[in-house]
Amino acid sequence: MAGSSAPPSLTLRPIGVIRTPFATSPGTPIQPVYAGGAVGRVLVAPEYEAALDDLDGCERVWLIYWLHRAGPFRPRVIPFRDDREHGLFATRSPQRPNPIGISAVRLVRREGPLVEVADIDVVDETPLLDIKPYVPAFDAYPGVRAGWFDRCAVDGRVADERFAVEPATDPDPTGRP
């Protein structure tokens, strides 16, 4: 940001909450592909319900969310799929400068402000920031190189305690009373 004295301010507001069977980070699948069909519910705030129209034709959707239980940023981490340290941006570790997560989950059904999904890999009560359709023509690049992931040293499919922090005390992460 040459010539800039301060980065711009950003404001993010949750649009809902993601409910899952995973109460804590340890034991949560690390990616949707390892979730074994685990079912979750995405509860969208009433003012965003109309934005869900036409989503039910999608087989998969991207959930974009705030990793509300992630620990502080660390530039180097040992990820779940390896036993060696890597630069954070070469991993999917939750301890990011801006703890934003993404998951391509299977859309099961939509009923009003409720979206039921499967293959969920998210901790319960995670604040939802956005939903986008998964479009294979845009989102899939089969056969591309994935760096150290191509040579994973560990077959870790669920999270352990390495990135866990204490649960948030706010019972409603959307901030609604």
Side-chain angles (χ1 to χ4, degrees), residues 26 39 42 45 52 56 65 73-74 85-86 88 90 97 106 113-114 118 121 126 135 151 153 157 173:
V39 175
V42 178
L52 295 171
D56 54 354
Y65 46 89
F73 163 70
R74 292 186 356 211
E85 191 175 71
H86 295 277
L88 175 79
R106 189 165 36 94
L114 169 73
D121 65 332
T126 293
V135 181
R151 305 172 302 280
R157 295 173 184 222

Side-chain angles (χ1 to χ4, degrees), residues 44-105:
V44 175
E47 62 265 33
Y48 301 111
E49 182 179 343
L52 295 171
D53 290 351
D54 305 310
L55 193 65
D56 54 354
C58 297
E59 186 173 336
R60 289 201 171 261
V61 295
W62 288 106
L63 299 181
I64 298 114
Y65 46 89
W66 193 258
L67 297 163
H68 66 300
R69 294 191 188 163
F73 163 70
R74 292 186 356 211
R76 297 190 57 81
V77 297
I78 299 174
F80 297 123
R81 299 279 299 171
D82 207 352
D83 54 7
R84 289 184 27 240
E85 191 175 71
H86 295 277
L88 175 79
F89 296 137
T91 76
R92 298 278 183 102
S93 164
Q95 294 183 320
R96 313 191 78 76
N98 294 300
I100 296 170
I102 59 170
S103 295
V105 298

Side-chain angles (χ1 to χ4, degrees), residues 6-170:
S9 175
L10 297 175
T11 301
L12 295 173
R13 288 181 307 278
I15 64 166
V17 65
I18 304 169
R19 301 304 314 261
T20 76
F22 308 110
T24 61
S25 296
T28 299
I30 65 165
Q31 292 293 309
V33 70
Y34 301 132
V39 175
R41 294 174 299 141
V42 178
L43 306 169
V44 175
E47 62 265 33
Y48 301 111
E49 182 179 343
L52 295 171
D53 290 351
D54 305 310
L55 193 65
D56 54 354
C58 297
E59 186 173 336
R60 289 201 171 261
V61 295
W62 288 106
L63 299 181
I64 298 114
Y65 46 89
W66 193 258
L67 297 163
H68 66 300
R69 294 191 188 163
F73 163 70
R74 292 186 356 211
R76 297 190 57 81
V77 297
I78 299 174
F80 297 123
R81 299 279 299 171
D82 207 352
D83 54 7
R84 289 184 27 240
E85 191 175 71
H86 295 277
L88 175 79
F89 296 137
T91 76
R92 298 278 183 102
S93 164
Q95 294 183 320
R96 313 191 78 76
N98 294 300
I100 296 170
I102 59 170
S103 295
V105 298
R106 189 165 36 94
L107 192 149
V108 175
R109 69 181 177 92
R110 180 224 166 173
E111 188 174 314
L114 169 73
V115 179
E116 186 175 314
V117 298
D119 303 328
I120 191 76
D121 65 332
V122 178
V123 175
D124 191 37
E125 297 185 348
T126 293
L128 177 69
L129 299 176
D130 205 349
I131 300 174
K132 295 185 180 215
Y134 178 94
V135 181
F138 306 160
D139 296 330
Y141 295 90
V144 300
R145 291 187 322 274
W148 67 269
F149 284 97
D150 293 336
R151 305 172 302 280
C152 288
V154 176
D155 189 23
R157 295 173 184 222
V158 297
D160 57 26
E161 68 286 338
R162 78 183 77 188
F163 301 117
V165 297
E166 290 297 315
T169 56
D170 182 4

